[in-house]
Amino acid sequence: MLAITLAIAGCGGTPAGDGTDVRARFQTLCGSCHGPDGKPPEAMIARLAVRDLTAPEFRARVSPALVEHQIRTGSPNKLMPSFEGVIDDAQITALAAYVAAPKFPAPP
């Protein structure tokens, strides 16, 4: 349970913004673990095996459904928490589409 609590805190487990800026929401909710542009710091990769969302092998298979499932359920090892109930369905869908978009991350 401590790992889940720390992961939620470390990954910005509280929603921010008004729901209109998915890039800002990604940076707030996901950026502390995955990096603000989807490329996590080397320390996060080494310590927690955080996925590089910009890696070619991930980009080759990414889909909105894959990302949405991960956001909703978290990782099997529970280092990435589930965000189901933390953010609403529309926010989850928007984040998944953003991460799966061919031009991820969008320019500022």
Side-chain angles (χ1 to χ4, degrees), residues 9-49:
C11 292
T14 56
D18 63 1
T20 58
D21 188 350
V22 71
R23 179 179 170 80
R25 179 161 286 107
F26 175 86
Q27 290 174 339
T28 299
L29 294 174
C30 314
S32 61
C33 293
H34 290 284
D37 60 356
K39 185 164 185 64
E42 289 298 321
M44 293 301 283
I45 294 170
R47 267 188 298 164
L48 301 176

Side-chain angles (χ1 to χ4, degrees), residues 4-88:
I4 293 171
T5 303
L6 291 174
I8 290 173
C11 292
T14 56
D18 63 1
T20 58
D21 188 350
V22 71
R23 179 179 170 80
R25 179 161 286 107
F26 175 86
Q27 290 174 339
T28 299
L29 294 174
C30 314
S32 61
C33 293
H34 290 284
D37 60 356
K39 185 164 185 64
E42 289 298 321
M44 293 301 283
I45 294 170
R47 267 188 298 164
L48 301 176
V50 172
R51 176 168 292 169
D52 181 348
L53 302 178
T54 67
E57 66 276 359
F58 178 72
R59 300 308 308 163
R61 65 182 184 84
V62 70
S63 71
L66 174 79
V67 178
E68 185 167 338
H69 175 76
Q70 189 73 25
I71 293 169
R72 288 186 186 282
T73 64
S75 63
N77 64 10
K78 302 300 179 199
L79 292 175
M80 177 178 162
S82 164
F83 284 88
E84 183 110 66
V86 176
I87 58 177
D88 66 35

